[in-house]
Amino acid sequence: MSDIFSDTARRHVLGLGCERGTPSAEVLALAIAALDAAGIGVAELAAIASIDSRRQEAAILTVVEHFSVPALFFDAPRLEAETPRLKNPSEIVFARVGCHGVAESAALAAIGPDAELLLGKIKSAHATAAIARIGLQKD
């Protein structure tokens, strides 16, 4: 687990995926909608995560800047390792980028094996978002 989780209030990661060139306003609106749908406040957000091929994507970077949280990026094989935990795996996404999901996988990968999906993938016209949280410790 990353040191971004040393703040116990910030237990959630927003995973994002988008087509190249997606307008920043569309991805930001989707990100805000995801937080609203999950009942998560900005103060509870630890990071934004996505696939490494979107590391320079303006829309993703706009969301990162808007929420002032770290950005985490993972390669397709790392995201593919999360497939058994996805709520919405996609063969179409696999054919395009080499993993069965970006938003859900990136959110889960950012936290690690203790992550659980709080909000499965939601979509806009050209983007996806999902939210994972640190799972509660079991004694």
Side-chain angles (χ1 to χ4, degrees), residues 36-108:
D36 288 346
I40 300 302
V42 175
E44 298 173 86
L45 189 62
I48 307 288
S50 192
I51 192 166
D52 62 356
S53 63
R54 296 302 183 263
R55 184 179 301 273
Q56 301 301 321
E57 191 65 35
I60 302 283
L61 298 177
T62 295
V63 175
V64 169
E65 183 177 328
H66 178 83
F67 291 121
S68 298
V69 294
L72 304 171
F73 296 94
F74 301 93
D75 63 19
R78 175 63 189 93
L79 296 183
E80 180 61 12
E82 297 297 337
T83 300
R85 299 198 299 159
L86 302 183
K87 291 183 180 178
N88 301 288
S90 169
E91 291 297 329
I92 294 170
V93 173
F94 182 78
R96 289 183 182 167
V97 298
C99 58
H100 281 87
V102 173
E104 290 182 352
S105 295
L108 290 166

Side-chain angles (χ1 to χ4, degrees), residues 22-48:
T22 300
S24 294
E26 178 182 336
V27 179
L28 181 57
L30 182 64
I32 291 168
L35 292 176
D36 288 346
I40 300 302
V42 175
E44 298 173 86
L45 189 62
I48 307 288

Side-chain angles (χ1 to χ4, degrees), residues 119-134:
L119 178 70
K121 176 176 71 178
I122 63 170
K123 301 179 191 181
S124 66
H126 306 285
T128 58
I131 296 176
R133 67 177 168 202
I134 295 173

